[in-house]
Amino acid sequence: MKNILAELPLFEGFPEEILESISRSFIRRSIPKGTYLFREGEEADAMYVLIEGRTRSLTSDNQGKEFVFKIGEPVDVFGEISLIDDEPRGWTTQVEEDAVVLMLSKQEFVRHLESSPEMKDMVIKNLARIVRRLSNTMKSLALLDVYGRVRALFESLLVTVDGQDMIEQSLTQQAIADRVGSSREMIARILKELVFGGYIKLENKKIILLQKLPERF
């Protein structure tokens, strides 16, 4: 488990003995599809590392409109920032398919922090790195139009199967719209133009890339 923790941004650069100590405080849990790891506005009580399965992280407005900003894959981490401050959850994370997670309670996390001044210093430094990376990501997204965000999403999900680049994950037009902050109608128009231009084809609920997507739409 300590090898998994060593890959997480929050524990980046931690000595092996500290990772070994923290790893003993994690609890392995199986989570069925549809379960919420946590909901927006709830009190934060744990962080989670996804080992198997898939999740989606989203926020919503007062009218109930959802914006899905992340699809979690192994070995993504959720809720770690909320262990540092006393603020409620800033978004909702739901299990999209049966999952296995490693859970670290806030109580155990604080116990480790209080027992190791070295760990406190390293957590502060790693949090600064996390915030900087998030800022750079948000800055890039803010400069993209809807097509640019669709293109970035597709490129992040591409896998190669039998020499063919494709998005294996089944994505409806609404799911794409939710993840890029647009309307389903706009996504339908973009997909239609990409198919017409010979850039993609839609087959068996998969998006197959025929050639590199254009820089601009």
Side-chain angles (χ1 to χ4, degrees):
M1 187 186 298
K2 66 183 179 183
N3 293 332
I4 295 175
L5 298 185
E7 298 178 12
L8 305 182
L10 186 63
F11 301 123
E12 184 178 336
F14 272 40
E16 187 169 332
E17 60 271 18
I18 293 182
L19 289 175
E20 180 67 40
S21 176
I22 297 172
S23 69
R24 291 195 290 268
S25 296
F26 275 84
I27 300 172
R28 187 182 180 96
R29 293 180 58 192
S30 296
I31 311 291
K33 177 181 178 180
T35 303
Y36 290 92
L37 290 183
F38 49 82
R39 293 176 185 262
E40 188 171 357
E42 289 182 344
E43 181 180 351
D45 59 357
M47 66 170 281
Y48 303 87
V49 182
L50 184 64
I51 301 301
E52 298 175 13
R54 191 167 69 224
T55 64
R56 63 181 192 135
S57 295
L58 58 106
T59 187
S60 58
D61 60 20
N62 293 332
Q63 284 72 47
K65 182 178 180 181
E66 294 183 347
F67 173 59
V68 179
F69 58 87
K70 180 178 181 179
I71 297 296
E73 306 279 354
V75 183
D76 283 339
V77 61
F78 309 92
E80 74 278 25
I81 303 301
S82 295
L83 297 186
I84 309 299
D85 59 23
D86 291 320
E87 296 297 316
R89 300 291 192 186
W91 60 80
T92 296
T93 295
Q94 184 180 26
V95 174
E96 270 213 325
E97 58 183 43
D98 291 349
V100 175
V101 301
L102 300 175
M103 182 185 78
L104 177 66
S105 72
K106 184 170 185 174
Q107 181 179 358
E108 280 296 295
F109 180 78
V110 171
R111 182 179 68 80
H112 283 287
L113 275 184
E114 292 177 345
S115 66
S116 172
E118 180 184 8
M119 180 176 169
K120 277 187 178 180
D121 292 341
M122 299 190 77
V123 165
I124 291 171
K125 190 174 295 185
N126 286 343
L127 283 174
R129 292 194 185 105
I130 292 170
V131 170
R132 187 177 296 278
R133 289 167 187 164
L134 287 173
S135 297
N136 290 335
T137 298
M138 294 306 297
K139 185 163 53 177
S140 298
L141 288 175
L143 297 174
L144 295 175
D145 58 12
V146 175
Y147 168 70
R149 298 197 294 273
V150 170
R151 181 173 180 265
L153 172 64
F154 284 5
E155 290 180 345
S156 72
L157 297 175
L158 277 181
V159 296
T160 302
V161 179
D162 297 329
Q164 177 70 68
D165 290 335
M166 66 174 66
I167 299 172
E168 281 194 304
Q169 188 179 133
S170 179
L171 290 174
T172 64
Q173 293 176 1
Q174 188 60 57
I176 297 170
D178 289 342
R179 293 183 62 176
V180 302
S182 182
S183 67
R184 187 194 63 77
E185 291 75 18
M186 173 62 80
I187 299 305
R189 186 167 74 86
I190 290 174
L191 293 179
K192 181 179 178 181
E193 292 293 335
L194 289 175
V195 170
F196 181 77
Y199 292 101
I200 65 172
K201 68 176 179 178
L202 309 178
E203 186 176 281
N204 297 325
K205 297 185 178 181
K206 294 182 175 62
I207 299 173
I208 298 175
L209 187 69
L210 301 178
Q211 57 177 309
K212 184 176 175 62
L213 297 179
E215 293 286 338
R216 302 187 185 281
F217 179 66

